[in-house]
Amino acid sequence: MLFSTIPGLPEVKSLLLRSAQSGHVAHAQLFAGVEGGAALALALAYATYLSCDAPTPTDACGVCPACSKMARLVHPDLHWLLPLAESKLDDEERNARLILFRAFFLEQPYPTYHEWMSELKAENKQGTISREAAAQLPMRAAMAAFEAPYKFFVIWLPELLHPAAANALLKLLEEPPRRTVFLLVSNQPGALLPTILSRTQRVSVRAHTEPELAELLEQEHQMPAAAALATAQLADGSLNTALALRGEVGTELFDFLIDWLRQCWGAKWQELLDKRSEEFQKLGREGQKHLLRYALGLVRKVLLVGLDPALVPALSVAEADTVRKMSRLITPQNADAIVRALTDAHYHVERNANPKLVFFDTSLTLYPLLRG
């Protein structure tokens, strides 16, 4: 992973480069960012830069043996602590999970916890970083680096550390081994032990701006400018969401959403129960979440257009017509309740509630709101 492959965030990249070039490399750093953002990718880009045989002023070279191994996540001085569904695994099983994660990350470098649990086929389980995994930390940390100037321990989602694992990590942070860098990557830093927080140097990784996401989608994924901006508006600063939504905005999601709202307004209960809820289930959990986020984005656009059409310049012809018509149904008087219903549905989908029940219950809630 190179800094140049991560879009935007010039101020964070500059901070990390200055740290590496000055030799002021903190032994424990907390990359705090939004879910689906660039925090994990930046941590790996930083480790790559520190390991590179011929770094430039702005990035690792990308071609030396160290960069090649880092790019494939197989560098012998790169160690991982990951949330897993099982706590007691032997070395062979743990290595198999690591191989799976490498393939998972290389395909999606801005992953979410729920995607990782889905990859493990453990959607209904709570992932944790177990005490057994943390028990190996002192021995691994005590070893000298094989090739790089530093050993790196990347701890993804440390908020999921088992209490015993958190205490084991804390002891290492209090008396860190030489030439060892702990890179904690968290979406919820407030959930960490205060004693761990106090022993880490925080690297705040902000969410991407809409222009940054739109530029990425337009330049690297050849999306039309209007569609790229519309997608960026729905992504809420998440690279993961922006990339997942590309190609869907204005097509499948748009058509499904409009048909759903029409059926809610028209009280087409049998069709909603038999056909539409089945289609909603077939979207899969991530697709269901994208649809609900898209619906929330449409409500936002309707309200903004009601204030000033210039506030939403990136509407397609179909969207502009729909937003105009929806402005008679979605008003400042009922928008809060509609947003609450859609947000509740997103919450329940994310927590593995039955999608058909969530969909139909949300439809029942929307009916009186849309009818006024």
Side-chain angles (χ1 to χ4, degrees):
M1 180 63 68
L2 303 177
F3 288 122
S4 59
T5 62
I6 303 168
L9 306 174
E11 70 288 352
V12 185
K13 296 174 184 177
S14 177
L15 173 70
L16 295 172
L17 286 166
R18 288 198 305 270
S19 161
Q21 291 162 4
S22 67
H24 295 154
V25 178
H27 75 276
Q29 303 184 40
L30 173 63
F31 287 70
V34 298
E35 185 175 34
L40 181 57
L42 280 168
L44 285 168
Y46 182 58
T48 301
Y49 190 84
L50 288 169
S51 304
C52 179
D53 297 330
T56 72
T58 58
D59 213 339
C61 73
V63 296
C64 70
C67 286
S68 176
K69 293 173 186 177
M70 281 289 189
R72 293 178 286 126
L73 308 185
V74 295
H75 197 290
D77 295 314
L78 179 64
H79 307 275
W80 292 87
L81 275 183
L82 304 168
L84 298 174
E86 313 96 335
S87 58
K88 296 182 179 179
L89 298 172
D90 59 31
D91 289 344
E92 184 176 346
E93 291 171 325
R94 200 175 300 282
N95 189 54
R97 303 299 187 278
L98 177 58
I99 292 172
L100 181 65
F101 180 81
R102 286 172 181 154
F104 167 74
F105 177 83
L106 292 175
E107 183 175 342
Q108 169 52 283
Y110 313 109
T112 67
Y113 163 78
H114 291 292
E115 287 175 341
W116 174 229
M117 288 295 103
S118 178
E119 188 73 13
L120 291 171
K121 296 180 173 53
E123 295 94 330
N124 298 319
K125 297 182 179 180
Q126 175 62 51
T128 59
I129 299 175
S130 69
R131 72 177 83 188
E132 287 78 13
Q136 300 180 8
L137 269 177
M139 179 185 67
R140 291 160 64 189
M143 298 171 63
F146 287 95
E147 297 176 7
Y150 300 93
K151 301 187 301 294
F152 301 97
F153 288 85
V154 180
I155 305 171
W156 186 43
L157 304 179
E159 54 266 35
L160 298 177
L161 281 162
H162 183 280
N167 288 326
L169 174 63
L170 179 59
K171 290 178 181 178
L172 282 175
L173 299 185
E174 289 173 339
E175 299 179 16
R178 287 187 67 255
R179 314 298 288 179
T180 301
V181 179
F182 294 91
L183 302 174
L184 287 68
V185 182
S186 174
N187 301 146
Q188 297 177 306
L192 295 175
L193 290 175
T195 45
I196 288 181
L197 287 174
S198 67
R199 286 165 174 79
T200 59
Q201 177 176 291
R202 183 164 178 147
V203 179
S204 295
V205 182
R206 61 170 173 81
H208 279 73
T209 64
E210 289 179 3
E212 285 175 333
L213 292 176
E215 182 180 3
L216 168 70
L217 295 171
E218 188 176 350
Q219 294 186 359
E220 295 190 22
H221 299 278
Q222 292 73 54
M223 287 185 68
L229 183 55
T231 303
Q233 289 170 346
L234 295 177
D236 195 26
S238 167
L239 276 167
N240 179 289
T241 302
L243 294 173
L245 284 174
R246 69 186 188 273
E248 295 184 10
V249 173
T251 54
E252 291 89 349
L253 288 181
F254 178 75
D255 294 338
F256 186 103
L257 175 61
I258 298 309
D259 286 344
W260 178 29
L261 294 177
R262 285 172 179 160
Q263 290 167 351
C264 289
W265 186 88
K268 307 290 186 181
W269 306 124
Q270 199 62 50
E271 190 169 352
L272 283 165
L273 184 60
D274 294 341
K275 181 181 177 182
R276 192 63 64 185
S277 62
E278 183 72 27
E279 293 173 351
F280 181 76
Q281 178 169 278
K282 289 179 180 177
L283 290 173
R285 184 167 62 185
E286 292 305 313
Q288 294 155 14
K289 289 161 58 180
H290 292 331
L291 173 72
L292 293 166
R293 281 196 291 263
Y294 189 35
L296 287 165
L298 181 65
V299 173
R300 173 177 175 269
K301 290 179 181 180
V302 169
L303 294 176
L304 288 175
V305 166
L307 293 172
D308 181 359
L311 293 173
V312 191
L315 291 175
S316 66
V317 174
E319 275 192 315
D321 182 59
T322 299
V323 165
R324 179 177 55 80
K325 293 176 180 176
M326 294 297 294
S327 64
R328 297 194 294 270
L329 304 177
I330 300 174
T331 67
Q333 286 69 44
N334 65 8
D336 280 349
I338 291 173
V339 166
R340 192 158 51 248
L342 294 170
T343 303
D344 287 346
H346 188 281
Y347 173 89
H348 292 302
V349 164
E350 196 166 44
R351 282 150 184 80
N352 293 312
N354 185 299
K356 287 185 177 181
L357 292 179
V358 171
F359 179 81
F360 192 68
D361 181 68
T362 306
S363 302
L364 291 171
T365 303
L366 291 176
Y367 167 70
L369 298 175
L370 295 173
R371 299 288 293 193

Coordinates of all heavy atoms in Angstrom, one line a residue, residues 250-321:
G250 N -28.8 5.9 -9.4 CA -29.5 6.3 -10.6 C -30.0 5.1 -11.4 O -30.7 5.3 -12.4
T251 N -29.7 3.9 -11.0 CA -30.2 2.7 -11.8 C -30.9 1.8 -10.9 O -32.1 2.1 -10.6 CB -29.0 2.0 -12.5 OG1 -28.0 1.7 -11.5 CG2 -28.3 2.9 -13.5
E252 N -30.3 0.6 -10.5 CA -31.1 -0.4 -9.8 C -31.6 0.2 -8.4 O -32.8 0.0 -8.1 CB -30.2 -1.6 -9.5 CG -29.9 -2.4 -10.7 CD -28.6 -1.9 -11.3 OE1 -28.1 -0.8 -11.0 OE2 -28.1 -2.6 -12.2
L253 N -30.8 0.9 -7.7 CA -31.3 1.4 -6.4 C -32.4 2.4 -6.6 O -33.3 2.5 -5.9 CB -30.1 2.0 -5.6 CG -29.1 1.1 -5.0 CD1 -28.0 1.8 -4.2 CD2 -29.7 0.1 -4.1
F254 N -32.1 3.3 -7.6 CA -33.1 4.4 -7.8 C -34.5 3.8 -8.2 O -35.5 4.1 -7.6 CB -32.6 5.3 -8.9 CG -33.5 6.4 -9.3 CD1 -33.7 7.5 -8.5 CD2 -34.3 6.3 -10.5 CE1 -34.6 8.5 -8.8 CE2 -35.2 7.3 -10.8 CZ -35.3 8.4 -10.0
D255 N -34.5 2.8 -9.1 CA -35.7 2.2 -9.6 C -36.4 1.5 -8.4 O -37.6 1.6 -8.3 CB -35.5 1.2 -10.7 CG -34.9 2.0 -12.0 OD1 -35.2 3.2 -12.1 OD2 -34.3 1.3 -12.8
F256 N -35.6 0.7 -7.7 CA -36.2 0.0 -6.5 C -36.8 0.9 -5.5 O -38.0 0.7 -5.1 CB -35.1 -0.9 -5.9 CG -35.7 -1.8 -4.8 CD1 -35.9 -3.2 -5.0 CD2 -36.0 -1.3 -3.5 CE1 -36.3 -4.0 -4.1 CE2 -36.5 -2.1 -2.6 CZ -36.7 -3.5 -2.8
L257 N -36.1 2.0 -5.2 CA -36.6 2.9 -4.2 C -37.9 3.6 -4.6 O -38.8 3.7 -3.8 CB -35.5 3.9 -3.9 CG -35.9 5.1 -2.9 CD1 -36.3 4.5 -1.6 CD2 -34.7 6.1 -2.8
I258 N -37.9 4.1 -5.8 CA -39.1 4.8 -6.3 C -40.3 3.9 -6.3 O -41.4 4.2 -5.9 CB -38.9 5.4 -7.7 CG1 -37.7 6.4 -7.6 CG2 -40.1 6.1 -8.2 CD1 -37.9 7.5 -6.5
D259 N -40.1 2.6 -6.8 CA -41.2 1.7 -6.8 C -41.7 1.4 -5.4 O -42.9 1.3 -5.1 CB -40.8 0.4 -7.5 CG -40.7 0.5 -9.0 OD1 -41.3 1.5 -9.5 OD2 -40.1 -0.3 -9.6
W260 N -40.8 1.3 -4.5 CA -41.1 1.0 -3.1 C -42.0 2.1 -2.5 O -43.0 1.9 -1.9 CB -39.8 0.8 -2.3 CG -40.1 0.5 -0.8 CD1 -41.1 0.0 -0.2 CD2 -39.2 0.9 0.3 NE1 -41.0 -0.1 1.2 CE2 -39.8 0.5 1.5 CE3 -37.9 1.5 0.3 CZ2 -39.1 0.6 2.7 CZ3 -37.3 1.6 1.5 CH2 -37.9 1.2 2.7
L261 N -41.5 3.4 -2.7 CA -42.2 4.5 -2.1 C -43.6 4.6 -2.7 O -44.6 5.0 -2.0 CB -41.4 5.8 -2.3 CG -40.1 5.9 -1.6 CD1 -39.4 7.2 -1.9 CD2 -40.3 5.8 -0.1
R262 N -43.7 4.3 -4.0 CA -45.1 4.4 -4.7 C -46.0 3.3 -4.1 O -47.2 3.6 -3.8 CB -44.9 4.2 -6.2 CG -44.3 5.4 -6.9 CD -44.0 5.0 -8.4 NE -43.5 6.1 -9.1 CZ -42.8 6.0 -10.3 NH1 -42.6 4.8 -10.7 NH2 -42.4 7.1 -10.9
Q263 N -45.5 2.2 -3.8 CA -46.3 1.1 -3.3 C -46.7 1.4 -1.8 O -47.8 1.1 -1.4 CB -45.6 -0.3 -3.4 CG -45.5 -0.8 -4.8 CD -44.5 -1.9 -5.0 OE1 -43.7 -2.2 -4.1 NE2 -44.4 -2.5 -6.2
C264 N -45.8 2.0 -1.1 CA -46.1 2.4 0.3 C -47.2 3.5 0.2 O -48.2 3.4 1.0 CB -44.9 3.0 1.0 SG -43.6 1.8 1.4
W265 N -47.1 4.4 -0.6 CA -48.1 5.5 -0.7 C -49.5 4.9 -1.1 O -50.5 5.3 -0.7 CB -47.7 6.6 -1.7 CG -48.6 7.7 -1.8 CD1 -48.6 8.9 -1.0 CD2 -49.7 7.9 -2.7 NE1 -49.6 9.7 -1.3 CE2 -50.3 9.2 -2.4 CE3 -50.3 7.1 -3.7 CZ2 -51.4 9.7 -3.0 CZ3 -51.4 7.6 -4.4 CH2 -51.9 8.9 -4.0
G266 N -49.4 3.9 -2.1 CA -50.7 3.3 -2.6 C -51.2 2.2 -1.7 O -52.2 1.5 -2.1
A267 N -50.5 1.9 -0.6 CA -50.9 0.8 0.3 C -51.0 -0.6 -0.5 O -52.0 -1.3 -0.3 CB -52.3 1.1 0.9
K268 N -50.1 -0.9 -1.3 CA -50.0 -2.1 -2.0 C -49.4 -3.2 -1.1 O -48.3 -3.8 -1.4 CB -49.2 -2.0 -3.3 CG -49.6 -0.8 -4.2 CD -51.0 -1.1 -4.9 CE -51.3 0.0 -5.9 NZ -52.6 -0.2 -6.5
W269 N -50.2 -3.6 -0.1 CA -49.6 -4.4 1.0 C -49.2 -5.8 0.5 O -48.2 -6.4 0.8 CB -50.6 -4.5 2.2 CG -50.9 -3.2 2.7 CD1 -52.2 -2.7 2.9 CD2 -50.0 -2.1 3.2 NE1 -52.2 -1.4 3.4 CE2 -50.8 -1.0 3.6 CE3 -48.7 -2.0 3.2 CZ2 -50.3 0.1 4.1 CZ3 -48.1 -0.8 3.7 CH2 -48.9 0.2 4.1
Q270 N -50.1 -6.4 -0.3 CA -49.8 -7.8 -0.7 C -48.6 -7.8 -1.6 O -47.7 -8.7 -1.5 CB -51.0 -8.3 -1.5 CG -51.0 -9.9 -1.6 CD -51.1 -10.5 -0.2 OE1 -51.9 -10.2 0.6 NE2 -50.2 -11.5 0.0
E271 N -48.4 -6.8 -2.5 CA -47.3 -6.8 -3.4 C -46.0 -6.5 -2.6 O -45.0 -7.1 -2.8 CB -47.5 -5.7 -4.5 CG -46.4 -5.8 -5.5 CD -46.8 -4.9 -6.7 OE1 -47.9 -4.4 -6.8 OE2 -45.9 -4.7 -7.6
L272 N -46.1 -5.6 -1.6 CA -45.0 -5.3 -0.8 C -44.6 -6.5 0.0 O -43.4 -6.8 0.2 CB -45.3 -4.2 0.2 CG -45.3 -2.8 -0.4 CD1 -46.0 -1.8 0.6 CD2 -43.9 -2.3 -0.7
L273 N -45.5 -7.3 0.5 CA -45.2 -8.5 1.4 C -44.7 -9.6 0.6 O -43.7 -10.3 0.9 CB -46.5 -8.9 2.1 CG -46.4 -10.0 3.1 CD1 -45.3 -9.7 4.2 CD2 -47.7 -10.4 3.7
D274 N -45.3 -9.9 -0.6 CA -45.0 -11.1 -1.4 C -43.7 -10.9 -2.3 O -42.8 -11.7 -2.3 CB -46.1 -11.5 -2.2 CG -47.3 -12.0 -1.4 OD1 -47.1 -12.3 -0.2 OD2 -48.5 -12.0 -1.9
K275 N -43.7 -9.8 -3.0 CA -42.7 -9.6 -4.0 C -41.6 -8.6 -3.6 O -40.4 -9.0 -3.6 CB -43.3 -9.1 -5.3 CG -42.4 -8.9 -6.4 CD -43.1 -8.3 -7.7 CE -42.1 -8.0 -8.8 NZ -42.7 -7.5 -10.0
R276 N -42.0 -7.4 -3.2 CA -40.9 -6.4 -2.9 C -40.1 -6.8 -1.7 O -38.8 -6.6 -1.7 CB -41.6 -5.1 -2.7 CG -40.6 -3.9 -2.7 CD -40.0 -3.7 -4.0 NE -40.9 -3.4 -5.1 CZ -40.6 -3.3 -6.4 NH1 -39.3 -3.5 -6.7 NH2 -41.5 -3.0 -7.3
S277 N -40.6 -7.4 -0.7 CA -39.8 -7.7 0.5 C -38.9 -8.9 0.1 O -37.7 -8.9 0.6 CB -40.7 -8.2 1.7 OG -41.5 -9.3 1.3
E278 N -39.3 -9.8 -0.8 CA -38.4 -10.8 -1.3 C -37.2 -10.2 -2.1 O -36.1 -10.7 -1.9 CB -39.2 -11.8 -2.2 CG -38.4 -13.0 -2.7 CD -38.1 -14.0 -1.6 OE1 -38.9 -14.1 -0.6 OE2 -37.1 -14.7 -1.7
E279 N -37.5 -9.2 -2.9 CA -36.4 -8.6 -3.6 C -35.5 -7.8 -2.7 O -34.3 -7.8 -2.9 CB -37.0 -7.6 -4.6 CG -37.8 -8.3 -5.8 CD -38.6 -7.3 -6.6 OE1 -38.6 -6.1 -6.3 OE2 -39.1 -7.7 -7.7
F280 N -36.0 -7.2 -1.6 CA -35.2 -6.5 -0.7 C -34.3 -7.5 0.0 O -33.1 -7.3 0.2 CB -36.1 -5.9 0.4 CG -35.4 -5.1 1.5 CD1 -34.8 -3.9 1.2 CD2 -35.2 -5.6 2.7 CE1 -34.1 -3.1 2.1 CE2 -34.5 -4.9 3.7 CZ -34.0 -3.7 3.4
Q281 N -34.8 -8.7 0.4 CA -33.9 -9.7 1.0 C -32.8 -10.2 0.1 O -31.7 -10.4 0.5 CB -34.8 -10.9 1.4 CG -33.9 -12.1 2.0 CD -34.8 -13.1 2.7 OE1 -35.2 -13.0 3.8 NE2 -35.0 -14.2 1.9
K282 N -33.1 -10.3 -1.2 CA -32.1 -10.7 -2.2 C -31.0 -9.7 -2.4 O -29.9 -10.1 -3.0 CB -32.8 -11.0 -3.5 CG -33.6 -12.3 -3.5 CD -34.3 -12.6 -4.9 CE -35.2 -13.8 -4.8 NZ -35.8 -14.1 -6.1
L283 N -31.2 -8.5 -2.0 CA -30.1 -7.5 -2.1 C -28.9 -7.8 -1.3 O -27.8 -7.3 -1.5 CB -30.7 -6.1 -1.7 CG -31.7 -5.4 -2.7 CD1 -32.2 -4.1 -2.0 CD2 -31.0 -5.1 -4.0
G284 N -29.1 -8.6 -0.2 CA -28.1 -8.9 0.7 C -27.9 -7.8 1.7 O -28.4 -6.7 1.4
R285 N -27.2 -8.0 2.8 CA -27.2 -7.0 3.8 C -26.6 -5.7 3.4 O -27.1 -4.6 3.6 CB -26.5 -7.5 5.1 CG -26.5 -6.5 6.2 CD -26.1 -7.1 7.5 NE -24.7 -7.5 7.5 CZ -24.1 -8.1 8.4 NH1 -24.7 -8.5 9.5 NH2 -22.8 -8.5 8.3
E286 N -25.4 -5.8 2.7 CA -24.8 -4.5 2.2 C -25.7 -3.8 1.2 O -25.8 -2.6 1.3 CB -23.4 -4.8 1.6 CG -22.4 -5.3 2.6 CD -22.2 -4.4 3.8 OE1 -22.1 -3.2 3.5 OE2 -22.2 -4.8 4.9
G287 N -26.3 -4.5 0.3 CA -27.2 -3.9 -0.6 C -28.4 -3.2 0.0 O -28.9 -2.2 -0.3
Q288 N -28.9 -3.9 1.1 CA -30.0 -3.3 1.8 C -29.6 -2.0 2.5 O -30.4 -1.0 2.5 CB -30.5 -4.3 2.9 CG -31.2 -5.6 2.3 CD -31.1 -6.8 3.2 OE1 -30.8 -6.7 4.4 NE2 -31.3 -8.0 2.6
K289 N -28.4 -2.0 3.1 CA -27.9 -0.8 3.7 C -27.7 0.3 2.7 O -28.0 1.5 3.0 CB -26.6 -1.1 4.5 CG -26.8 -2.0 5.7 CD -25.5 -2.7 6.2 CE -24.4 -1.7 6.5 NZ -23.2 -2.4 6.9
H290 N -27.2 -0.1 1.5 CA -27.0 1.0 0.5 C -28.3 1.6 0.1 O -28.4 2.8 -0.1 CB -26.3 0.4 -0.7 CG -24.9 -0.1 -0.5 ND1 -24.1 0.6 0.5 CD2 -24.1 -1.0 -1.0 CE1 -22.9 0.0 0.4 NE2 -22.9 -1.0 -0.4
L291 N -29.3 0.7 -0.1 CA -30.7 1.2 -0.5 C -31.2 2.2 0.6 O -31.7 3.3 0.2 CB -31.6 0.0 -0.6 CG -33.1 0.5 -0.9 CD1 -33.2 1.0 -2.3 CD2 -34.0 -0.7 -0.6
L292 N -31.1 1.8 1.9 CA -31.6 2.7 2.9 C -30.8 4.0 3.0 O -31.4 5.1 3.2 CB -31.6 2.0 4.2 CG -32.6 0.8 4.3 CD1 -32.3 -0.1 5.5 CD2 -34.0 1.3 4.4
R293 N -29.5 3.9 2.8 CA -28.7 5.2 2.7 C -29.1 6.0 1.5 O -29.2 7.3 1.6 CB -27.2 4.9 2.7 CG -26.6 4.5 4.0 CD -25.1 4.6 4.0 NE -24.5 3.5 3.2 CZ -24.1 2.3 3.7 NH1 -24.2 2.1 5.0 NH2 -23.5 1.5 2.9
Y294 N -29.4 5.4 0.4 CA -29.8 6.1 -0.8 C -31.2 6.8 -0.5 O -31.4 7.9 -0.9 CB -29.9 5.1 -1.9 CG -30.2 5.7 -3.3 CD1 -29.6 7.0 -3.6 CD2 -30.9 5.1 -4.2 CE1 -29.8 7.5 -4.8 CE2 -31.2 5.7 -5.5 CZ -30.6 6.9 -5.8 OH -30.8 7.5 -7.0
A295 N -32.0 6.1 0.2 CA -33.3 6.7 0.5 C -33.2 7.9 1.4 O -33.8 8.9 1.2 CB -34.2 5.6 1.2
L296 N -32.3 7.8 2.4 CA -32.0 8.9 3.3 C -31.4 10.1 2.4 O -31.7 11.3 2.7 CB -31.0 8.5 4.4 CG -31.6 7.6 5.5 CD1 -30.5 7.0 6.3 CD2 -32.5 8.5 6.4
G297 N -30.6 9.8 1.5 CA -30.0 10.8 0.6 C -31.1 11.5 -0.2 O -31.0 12.7 -0.5
L298 N -32.1 10.7 -0.7 CA -33.2 11.3 -1.5 C -34.0 12.3 -0.6 O -34.4 13.3 -1.1 CB -34.1 10.2 -2.0 CG -35.2 10.6 -2.9 CD1 -34.7 11.3 -4.2 CD2 -36.2 9.5 -3.2
V299 N -34.3 11.9 0.6 CA -35.0 12.8 1.5 C -34.2 14.1 1.7 O -34.8 15.2 1.6 CB -35.2 12.1 2.9 CG1 -35.8 13.1 3.9 CG2 -36.1 10.9 2.8
R300 N -32.9 14.0 1.8 CA -32.1 15.2 2.0 C -32.2 16.1 0.7 O -32.3 17.3 0.8 CB -30.6 14.7 2.2 CG -29.6 15.9 2.2 CD -28.2 15.3 2.5 NE -27.2 16.3 2.5 CZ -26.5 16.5 1.3 NH1 -26.7 15.8 0.2 NH2 -25.5 17.4 1.4
K301 N -32.1 15.4 -0.4 CA -32.2 16.2 -1.7 C -33.5 16.9 -1.8 O -33.6 18.0 -2.3 CB -32.0 15.3 -2.9 CG -30.5 14.8 -3.0 CD -30.4 13.9 -4.2 CE -29.0 13.3 -4.3 NZ -28.8 12.4 -5.5
V302 N -34.6 16.2 -1.5 CA -36.0 16.8 -1.6 C -36.0 18.1 -0.7 O -36.5 19.1 -1.2 CB -37.0 15.8 -1.2 CG1 -38.4 16.5 -1.0 CG2 -37.1 14.7 -2.2
L303 N -35.5 18.0 0.5 CA -35.6 19.1 1.4 C -34.7 20.3 0.9 O -35.1 21.4 1.0 CB -35.2 18.7 2.8 CG -36.1 17.7 3.5 CD1 -35.5 17.3 4.9 CD2 -37.5 18.4 3.7
L304 N -33.5 19.9 0.4 CA -32.6 21.0 -0.1 C -33.2 21.7 -1.3 O -33.1 22.9 -1.5 CB -31.2 20.4 -0.4 CG -30.4 20.0 0.8 CD1 -29.1 19.3 0.3 CD2 -30.0 21.2 1.6
V305 N -33.7 20.9 -2.2 CA -34.3 21.5 -3.4 C -35.5 22.4 -3.1 O -35.7 23.4 -3.7 CB -34.8 20.4 -4.4 CG1 -35.7 20.9 -5.5 CG2 -33.6 19.7 -5.0
G306 N -36.2 22.0 -2.0 CA -37.3 22.9 -1.5 C -36.8 24.2 -1.0 O -37.5 25.3 -1.1
L307 N -35.5 24.2 -0.5 CA -34.9 25.5 0.0 C -34.4 26.3 -1.2 O -34.6 27.5 -1.3 CB -33.8 25.2 1.0 CG -34.3 24.6 2.3 CD1 -33.1 24.2 3.2 CD2 -35.1 25.6 3.1
D308 N -33.6 25.6 -2.0 CA -32.9 26.2 -3.2 C -32.4 25.2 -4.1 O -31.5 24.4 -3.8 CB -31.8 27.1 -2.7 CG -31.1 27.9 -3.8 OD1 -31.5 27.7 -5.0 OD2 -30.1 28.6 -3.5
P309 N -33.0 25.0 -5.3 CA -32.5 24.0 -6.3 C -31.0 24.0 -6.5 O -30.4 23.0 -6.9 CB -33.3 24.3 -7.5 CG -34.6 25.0 -7.0 CD -34.1 25.8 -5.8
A310 N -30.4 25.2 -6.4 CA -29.0 25.3 -6.6 C -28.1 24.5 -5.6 O -26.9 24.2 -5.9 CB -28.5 26.8 -6.6
L311 N -28.7 24.1 -4.5 CA -28.0 23.4 -3.5 C -27.7 21.9 -3.9 O -26.9 21.2 -3.3 CB -28.8 23.4 -2.2 CG -28.9 24.8 -1.5 CD1 -29.8 24.7 -0.3 CD2 -27.5 25.3 -1.0
V312 N -28.5 21.5 -4.9 CA -28.3 20.1 -5.4 C -28.1 20.1 -6.9 O -29.0 19.9 -7.7 CB -29.5 19.2 -5.0 CG1 -29.2 17.7 -5.3 CG2 -29.9 19.4 -3.6
P313 N -26.9 20.4 -7.3 CA -26.7 20.6 -8.8 C -26.5 19.3 -9.6 O -26.6 19.4 -10.8 CB -25.4 21.4 -8.8 CG -24.6 21.0 -7.6 CD -25.7 20.7 -6.5
A314 N -26.3 18.2 -8.9 CA -25.9 17.0 -9.6 C -27.0 16.0 -9.8 O -26.8 14.8 -9.7 CB -24.7 16.3 -8.9
L315 N -28.2 16.5 -10.0 CA -29.3 15.6 -10.2 C -29.4 15.2 -11.7 O -29.3 16.0 -12.6 CB -30.6 16.3 -9.8 CG -30.8 16.5 -8.3 CD1 -32.1 17.3 -8.1 CD2 -30.9 15.2 -7.5
S316 N -29.7 13.8 -11.9 CA -30.0 13.4 -13.2 C -31.4 13.8 -13.6 O -32.1 14.3 -12.8 CB -29.9 11.9 -13.3 OG -30.9 11.3 -12.5
V317 N -31.7 13.7 -14.9 CA -33.1 14.1 -15.3 C -34.1 13.3 -14.5 O -35.1 13.9 -14.1 CB -33.2 13.9 -16.8 CG1 -34.7 14.2 -17.3 CG2 -32.2 14.8 -17.6
A318 N -33.9 12.0 -14.4 CA -34.9 11.2 -13.7 C -35.0 11.6 -12.2 O -36.1 11.7 -11.7 CB -34.5 9.7 -13.8
E319 N -33.8 11.8 -11.6 CA -33.8 12.2 -10.2 C -34.5 13.6 -10.0 O -35.3 13.8 -9.1 CB -32.4 12.3 -9.7 CG -31.9 10.9 -9.2 CD -30.6 11.1 -8.4 OE1 -29.7 11.9 -8.9 OE2 -30.4 10.5 -7.4
A320 N -34.2 14.5 -10.9 CA -34.8 15.8 -10.8 C -36.3 15.8 -10.8 O -37.0 16.4 -10.1 CB -34.2 16.7 -11.9
D321 N -36.8 15.0 -11.7 CA -38.3 14.8 -11.9 C -38.9 14.2 -10.6 O -39.9 14.6 -10.1 CB -38.6 14.0 -13.1 CG -40.1 13.8 -13.3 OD1 -40.8 14.9 -13.5 OD2 -40.6 12.7 -13.3

